[in-house]
Amino acid sequence: MQYNDKLNLKKLDQDLITVNKKKKKVQKIGMENWMKGIFFMCAVFSISSIVFMIYFIFSSGIPFITEYGVARFLTGTTWAPSNTPGSYGILPMMIGSILVTGGATLIGMPIGILTAVFMAAYCPPELYKILKAAVNLMAAIPSILYGFFALQFIVPFMREVAGGTGMNMMTAMILLGLMILPTIISLSEAALRAVPRSYYEGSLALGTTHEKTVLSVMVPAAKSGIISSVILGIGRAIGETMAVVLIAGNQPIIPDSLFSGVRTLTTNIVLEMAYAQGEHKEALIATAAVLFLFILMINSLFLYVKKKRG
Amino acid sequence: MTITKWIKFATVSGAALILAACGGSNQSEEAEAQLGGNDFDQTQNVHVISREDGSGTRGAFTEITGILAKDGDKETDLTYSGATIQNNTNAVMTSVAQDIAAIGYISMDSLNDSVKAVSIDDVSPSIETIQQKEYPISRPFNLAYKGELSEAAEDFWNYIMSKEGQQIIAEEGLVQVVQQAPAYQASEGLSGTISVVGSTSVTPVMEKLAEAYQTLQPNVQIDITSNGSSAGMTAAMDGTAEIGMSSRELTEEETSQLESEAIAIDGIAVIVHKDNPVQSLTTEQVKQIFTGELDTWEGLAP
């Protein structure tokens, strides 16, 4: 009898424990679901905003392009919204964007990658702290400040060197070359640092020098990361607006030399959006749609390079 | 060691480039200071600075000077394709203030000492010369009506010509037509709808006027349609609109049928660098400069 009681008590205890455990588990699951819901909402919010953006840009841009004529819009060389009827050819701006971005990459890429190599493989720790902070600061400076800097220094310099107003394609290339440096430097440096230490040591063990190892082993191993950084830099250059509008001259013509004025897709939109009405405004949104396609292409390229690495 | 050397070389040449850039800017300032007066190099190219398409100032400037060529329904803006485009008045003024070979145009009210406004056809731009219609690069903003105005419309008209109305006109960067206008006397118990139709250039200031007027006379509704000066005058003549807006002088046919009055004048100053010796240009020269026909300063300075 006594024994039985004891057993029952023990059983009761155990039952209680399981009930409590179940309760806790139920609570925990409730909490988890709730948080999951919040995360999900956040994800939905960010994704839906991009979907809405794509919808807005293309739904307002495409009707104009089809009405005006795809070929006429994309290959037309005259941009003259003040004319009646207006001319809306964006070829000069497309070429402008491509040339300026290309030039900026040519300037920014070697400097950026070599800086990253220096930071990852040569830099003394004290200098590194300063350099790293400086690169981060460069990335954080608002683009309008870059624009003012260029207006005060690069434009007068160009006026001396090349004549004219000093506001030309070369000025824009130099400025954008500067602006894409932080992107290229920090991502390339991260890629170089991600190369396994054993690569470096193995190469040294084979009797090579530090320089040879960095250049022939580390950089090739980090190749796809470095290429990604350059592609992201290109993305930044092609999207840059506020700094470029101050210093590029903004003529809607196909540039015939490095020192000719240039207008890019982004500056075309920001220049004229304020007072644009009717057809003119639609043409500017259509310009935005073309710009969007450019960015999509650059991002797909980025994804492709990244996937190849994986 | 080659890479270390290479990096050192890159650092040094980079630093040299930056220093050279700074040096360059100083030199150009000195050069600018030395120029001016008789030293002005007349053979240098004119650096034309214009505003962006869609800007009201550009619209007015190209229309008045004839840069906007009209052929029936077709209009072609002949602005020089090599002209630097700036999208605000300040940017135009800064560009002109920094470059001795530059020429630009701005709305009259923004003019200040940082640049020099040239005389046009020997008339210097000022509030007085614009009010007396002597300065050529200006245009009146006319309102016109046929027969008699309704009570509400007449009150609105009085408001526009009052001190308060002219104040709004000045705030919009336009020249007032009357210097000391009487204060607005609000009439009691007005109601109704006023339809105002016409010039796209007059529309922005008209919207401001209507907005301010409706806070004083909440029962009066003002409908503004923006479809061009000629359409506005036609609407006023055939009675589809009570008031027509026009940013040009009325034609003979229009004046024979309509009562009109200028409510404001839009004036545009042509500006050059302060050290530029050019004092005066003709309207034709302005047109030739801004269409790229005249591309150097030769023969323009006295």
Side-chain angles (χ1 to χ4, degrees):
Chain A
M1 189 66 195
Q2 228 182 3
Y3 175 79
N4 246 353
D5 269 358
K6 254 190 181 170
L7 198 78
N8 277 345
L9 266 177
K10 214 177 176 182
K11 201 170 180 285
L12 206 69
D13 263 5
Q14 263 179 354
D15 280 354
L16 266 175
I17 288 168
T18 23
V19 166
N20 272 346
K21 263 192 183 166
K22 265 188 188 164
K23 238 187 183 170
K24 260 191 184 163
K25 212 174 180 184
V26 168
Q27 269 181 347
K28 226 179 176 179
I29 288 173
M31 183 74 171
E32 262 172 20
N33 280 338
W34 196 63
M35 284 310 290
K36 211 167 130 187
I38 290 183
F39 297 145
F40 180 69
M41 287 302 290
C42 290
V44 166
F45 179 74
S46 31
I47 292 176
S48 59
S49 62
I50 183 99
V51 170
F52 275 125
M53 207 191 268
I54 294 175
Y55 174 76
F56 165 74
I57 296 278
F58 287 103
S59 69
S60 346
I62 286 176
F64 173 81
I65 300 179
T66 46
E67 193 188 307
Y68 186 75
V70 180
R72 236 175 113 210
F73 183 63
L74 294 180
T75 61
T77 53
T78 315
W79 176 268
S82 298
N83 290 0
T84 322
S87 287
Y88 304 99
I90 62 161
L91 188 67
M93 277 69 93
M94 283 164 70
I95 292 179
S97 269
I98 293 169
L99 287 179
V100 167
T101 307
T105 314
L106 281 183
I107 294 169
M109 186 173 66
I111 300 178
I113 294 176
L114 290 180
T115 310
V117 168
F118 176 71
M119 284 174 74
Y122 292 92
C123 198
E126 297 81 30
L127 184 59
Y128 180 79
K129 272 185 208 155
I130 303 171
L131 210 53
K132 187 76 190 166
V135 170
N136 286 341
L137 184 63
M138 258 182 106
I141 293 174
S143 56
I144 190 80
L145 293 187
Y146 278 96
F148 275 126
F149 161 75
L151 200 59
Q152 295 298 326
F153 288 94
I154 308 179
V155 168
F157 176 65
M158 277 295 158
R159 200 182 295 147
E160 280 299 292
V161 171
T165 55
M167 297 185 188
N168 55 42
M169 198 158 71
M170 193 67 206
T171 316
M173 286 174 175
I174 294 174
L175 171 69
L176 282 178
L178 275 180
M179 291 183 72
I180 62 173
L181 280 180
T183 312
I184 296 184
I185 294 173
S186 28
L187 291 173
S188 294
E189 193 211 336
L192 283 167
R193 288 198 186 276
V195 175
R197 187 81 188 155
S198 56
Y199 283 35
Y200 177 76
E201 281 161 0
S203 172
L204 279 193
L206 287 172
T208 59
T209 58
H210 179 69
E211 280 79 26
K212 183 81 182 156
T213 305
V214 169
L215 200 69
S216 311
V217 178
M218 307 268 286
V219 171
K223 194 174 66 186
S224 61
I226 292 175
I227 294 174
S228 307
S229 80
V230 173
I231 294 172
L232 283 185
I234 292 174
R236 164 136 207 215
I238 206 163
E240 185 45 53
T241 314
M242 290 322 289
V244 179
V245 79
L246 287 175
I247 51 110
N250 306 322
Q251 292 92 330
I253 46 172
I254 296 175
D256 53 5
S257 84
L258 270 180
F259 303 110
S260 149
V262 68
R263 187 187 288 196
T264 64
L265 289 167
T266 52
T267 48
N268 191 41
I269 300 168
V270 83
L271 270 172
E272 296 181 2
M273 208 51 176
Y275 300 110
Q277 285 173 334
E279 202 181 33
H280 187 188
K281 191 168 191 167
E282 287 168 22
L284 293 177
I285 298 176
T287 312
V290 173
L291 179 68
F292 206 105
L293 284 180
F294 271 64
I295 298 289
L296 279 182
M297 275 191 280
I298 292 169
N299 267 36
S300 321
L301 193 66
F302 174 70
L303 282 182
Y304 173 74
V305 171
K306 228 171 134 185
K307 205 172 164 193
K308 221 171 132 193
R309 173 169 49 171
Chain B
M1 289 313 283
T2 50
I3 292 171
T4 332
K5 272 186 191 161
W6 213 97
I7 288 167
K8 275 182 189 158
F9 172 73
T11 323
V12 170
S13 50
L17 197 81
I18 289 162
L19 289 176
C22 298
S25 78
N26 292 339
Q27 277 166 22
S28 77
E29 274 161 25
E30 281 162 26
E32 270 170 29
Q34 279 164 13
L35 282 171
N38 297 328
D39 296 335
F40 183 73
D41 176 11
Q42 298 207 3
T43 56
Q44 65 185 321
N45 283 327
V46 179
H47 299 154
V48 180
I49 295 164
S50 182
R51 287 289 302 274
E52 81 281 9
D53 284 291
S55 136
T57 315
R58 174 165 173 164
F61 181 74
T62 54
E63 198 185 321
I64 297 166
T65 53
I67 293 167
L68 190 71
K70 290 185 183 176
D71 177 22
D73 281 348
K74 273 191 178 172
E75 288 173 348
T76 314
D77 187 336
L78 298 174
T79 300
Y80 175 45
S81 66
T84 300
I85 306 292
Q86 297 288 10
N87 71 337
N88 61 67
T89 304
N90 270 336
V92 173
M93 290 175 78
T94 317
S95 303
V96 172
Q98 285 183 350
D99 184 355
I100 194 154
I103 187 166
Y105 56 87
I106 55 171
S107 178
M108 201 51 215
D109 67 305
S110 309
L111 192 60
N112 66 26
D113 285 346
S114 68
V115 292
K116 185 170 85 178
V118 296
S119 298
I120 305 295
D121 298 337
D122 291 322
V123 181
S124 72
S126 71
I127 305 279
E128 290 73 37
T129 54
I130 286 176
Q131 279 180 339
Q132 285 155 18
K133 299 187 178 178
E134 286 168 0
Y135 181 71
I137 308 183
S138 67
R139 58 176 183 177
F141 282 1
N142 285 316
L143 291 191
Y145 63 95
K146 190 175 185 177
E148 249 175 62
L149 286 170
S150 71
E151 210 182 331
E154 197 171 347
D155 190 59
F156 180 47
W157 197 293
N158 287 338
Y159 174 74
I160 294 172
M161 302 309 288
S162 73
K163 193 176 149 211
E164 290 83 356
Q166 291 291 309
Q167 179 73 30
I168 292 173
I169 281 163
E171 279 164 17
E172 286 293 290
L174 300 166
V175 175
Q176 305 172 341
V177 277
V178 271
Q179 212 57 305
Q180 260 122 23
Y184 170 64
Q185 307 278 336
S187 305
E188 293 288 318
L190 287 176
S191 66
T193 303
I194 311 169
S195 60
V196 185
V197 174
S199 165
T200 51
S201 310
V202 186
T203 301
V205 68
M206 184 54 72
E207 279 169 349
K208 288 271 155 56
L209 287 165
E211 195 182 312
Y213 180 73
Q214 277 168 328
T215 60
L216 300 170
Q217 296 285 1
N219 293 325
V220 178
Q221 174 76 26
I222 300 172
D223 292 334
I224 300 170
T225 310
S226 171
N227 57 2
S229 297
S230 298
M233 293 303 103
T234 311
M237 284 189 286
D238 64 20
T240 49
E242 192 160 12
I243 298 176
M245 304 181 280
S246 164
S247 57
R248 54 166 172 77
E249 296 287 0
L250 272 61
T251 63
E252 260 176 49
E253 192 205 342
E254 286 161 359
T255 37
S256 68
Q257 294 194 42
L258 299 170
E259 300 293 323
S260 74
E261 189 172 12
I263 59 161
I265 308 168
D266 194 5
I268 292 167
V270 175
I271 53 171
V272 295
H273 191 274
K274 275 169 108 174
D275 295 334
N276 191 318
V278 173
Q279 296 291 350
S280 182
L281 295 168
T282 64
T283 316
E284 187 57 28
Q285 281 170 333
V286 170
K287 182 184 169 186
Q288 285 173 339
I289 289 171
F290 279 89
T291 52
E293 274 175 63
L294 276 179
D295 57 357
T296 68
W297 286 102
E298 209 141 18
L300 296 176

